[in-house]
Amino acid sequence: FSQGAATASRFAMKALIPIDHLFLYGGSFAHDLDWTKLSPQLKIHFIYGDEDPLVKEEQVSRAKDFVVEQGFSMAILKFKGKHKIEPEALHYIQRSLAS
């Protein structure tokens, strides 16, 4: 969540086991990420609130374009809310992992 999103993306890059899903909730991937070290099957999920003062629509759009250019799949969940953890987002994560 939030600043932890960059940390999670760095962890995914250095993981010793393949990671299928990377959930970036209220934040974005690390700017120094080496995309060649990520699993090609990785699906990246951006999760943010429509009233989140730290996540802007243009940032999400640019990030999505960049992720797709890198050859990765990306899903976006935009929920009603601010910069906090919401039940709707947690249910989305649960559903994504179950499928």
Side-chain angles (χ1 to χ4, degrees), residues 18-34:
I19 294 176
D20 296 327
H21 296 272
L22 175 60
F23 297 93
L24 304 175
Y25 191 147
S28 192
F29 48 82
H31 295 288
D32 59 348
L33 198 61
D34 182 350

Side-chain angles (χ1 to χ4, degrees), residues 11-94:
F11 176 82
M13 179 180 71
K14 295 182 183 224
L16 299 176
I17 58 170
I19 294 176
D20 296 327
H21 296 272
L22 175 60
F23 297 93
L24 304 175
Y25 191 147
S28 192
F29 48 82
H31 295 288
D32 59 348
L33 198 61
D34 182 350
W35 292 84
T36 63
K37 293 186 177 178
L38 294 171
S39 168
Q41 288 78 34
L42 180 66
K43 182 170 186 176
I44 299 173
H45 304 260
F46 271 52
I47 304 169
Y48 68 104
D50 62 352
E51 296 178 40
D52 189 330
L54 303 176
V55 180
K56 307 291 182 218
E57 286 292 326
E58 64 187 46
Q59 292 170 308
V60 174
S61 180
R62 282 196 315 266
K64 180 181 180 186
D65 291 345
F66 183 79
V67 167
V68 171
E69 284 175 20
Q70 301 306 310
F72 292 90
S73 175
M74 185 169 155
I76 298 174
L77 172 67
K78 180 173 143 180
F79 60 86
K80 283 199 156 304
K82 298 185 181 187
H83 192 74
K84 63 181 195 170
I85 296 174
E86 294 284 349
E88 177 185 352
L90 295 178
H91 288 131
Y92 168 81
I93 293 169
Q94 182 182 29

